Each structure stands twice: as structure tokens, then as C-alpha cells.
Amino acid sequence: PRVGILISGSGSNMVALLEAMRDGRVAGTPAIVVSNNPDAAGLAKAHALGVATAAIDHRPFKGDRAAFDAEVDRALREAGTDVVACAGFMRIMTDDMIGRWTGRMVNIHPSVLPLFKGLHTHQRALDEGMAVHGCTVHEVTPELDTGTILGQAVVPVRPGDTAGTLAARVLRQEHRLYPRCLDAFLRDPEAARREKIAILADEE
Ligand code: GRF
């Protein structure tokens, strides 16, 4: 299957997915990388990896989310995308857009869902005094950060952790978790929804 990847920033999860596809650890081929941010560092990384890119700046659409989504959808379809992987994509998509990719769109969220949906998840985990934190790969549904969980990784929270140190520990696991979840999902979505992947990382 051809995988389209949506990014907004550094694209470290995108790189993990592209390298995994290149190395045969994810049973898919890159279709296109689309960013809503023309300055996203991930665009250059995708280009360096030989993957087609499209920068569709959301700002000219001035809140007309449907029009922006239609452009993103067009870029994905014209690249022959079968499955969409959101990787640090920071735009809320319309229900209509999500509906067009139901069962074919996944996302990675930096918390152990359903805890800490939304933003600033690492600081919120620290504020709550969590002993563990982590990340979740899930199917995208119209309700934010909900949808069938495909896998999760858990890390310890360490004394003296800041949002930055905790985010870095979680991000390292994101790069392990996402390729494994996407591979399972591409190979057999129903099995992937049943046999969820759990990574328990007791790292420093
Ligand atoms: C990561 O924390 C990811 O969980 C979230 O966006 C952040 C940046 O990801 N979705 P990336 O480096 O752009 O892949």
C-alpha cells in the first residue's frame, strides 16, 4: 500500500516511518509527504529521502477548514495514497475529510490515551504526578485523539524531569512504536485492531 504522511514540523516520526518503509520494516511505500507549514523542517528531510512533498499553507484559507482539507485530500489522492499517517500534524481536520479516510488514517499522540488528549501532554503528565507516561498510535476519528488504539509505549517519569526531558524520552519510543503499528495495520487492519502492540520501555 502507498502511504501518505501529514506533518507540520520536524517530521522525526515521518523519518522513522520512511526509513522503516525503505528498510522493509513497514510493508508500504511512500506516496507523498504533505505539510500545512511550508517551513516545516520535515519537508527537506522527506526530499532528502527521495519522497515527493507538497506544502499546502493553511493560512491563506483563513479558517475555511473544508477548503484547506480539500487541497490536502487532492494532494494525497493524486499521489495514489492508500493509507494516511499523521505524524506531528497540528491541524484539526473536518469530519468530512476524516470521513473520506475512515479506516485508512492513523495518528500518533504523545500520551497514553485516553489520558491527556489535546496539547501540552508532557507538562500535564508532570503536573498530575504521573509515574509513567508515553504515546499512542490510534485510528483517526472525528472526535480528537479518540479512535481504535493500535499500540502504546510507556516510559517511566524520572525525578527532575521537565516537559522537555520527558518529551524526548517519549519521542524515542514514538519512533519505535509508530513503524511497528503502521506495519501491522497495513498488513492486516483487523488483526492490528485486536492484537495491539505494547512497548514497556524502562529506559533512562
Ligand atoms: C511528537 O510529540 C508527536 O507525538 C506529535 O508531534 C510531535 C512532533 O513530532 N504528534 P515530529 O517530530 O514532527 O514527528
Side-chain angles (χ1 to χ4, degrees), residues 143-194:
E143 188 181 350
L144 185 67
D145 296 332
T146 309
T148 305
I149 289 172
L150 299 175
Q152 295 180 302
V154 179
V155 298
V157 177
R158 299 286 187 202
D161 261 336
T162 63
T165 60
L166 185 53
R169 190 173 308 120
V170 169
L171 194 61
R172 279 194 294 277
Q173 299 309 317
E174 294 181 33
H175 299 159
R176 296 176 64 205
L177 179 69
Y178 212 166
R180 288 182 53 187
C181 291
L182 181 59
D183 183 57
F185 187 70
L186 292 177
R187 289 174 184 278
D188 184 343
E190 265 315 306
R193 295 183 182 108
R194 276 196 321 273

Side-chain angles (χ1 to χ4, degrees), residues 9-14 87-90 107-110 122 171 174-175:
S10 67
S12 70
N13 277 288
M14 171 205 72
F89 187 64
M90 303 307 281
N107 179 48
I108 188 159
H109 178 76
H122 310 298
L171 194 61
E174 294 181 33
H175 299 159

Side-chain angles (χ1 to χ4, degrees), residues 8-66:
S8 296
S10 67
S12 70
N13 277 288
M14 171 205 72
V15 169
L17 296 179
L18 292 178
E19 291 179 344
M21 283 187 264
R22 179 193 62 195
D23 301 347
R25 287 180 283 113
V26 168
T29 55
I32 189 170
V33 169
V34 180
S35 174
N36 66 295
N37 171 9
D39 301 324
L43 287 169
K45 295 172 187 172
H47 183 69
L49 286 164
V51 178
T53 63
I56 303 174
D57 191 339
H58 66 274
R59 291 167 297 189
F61 292 89
K62 294 185 173 39
D64 183 347
R65 290 184 182 278

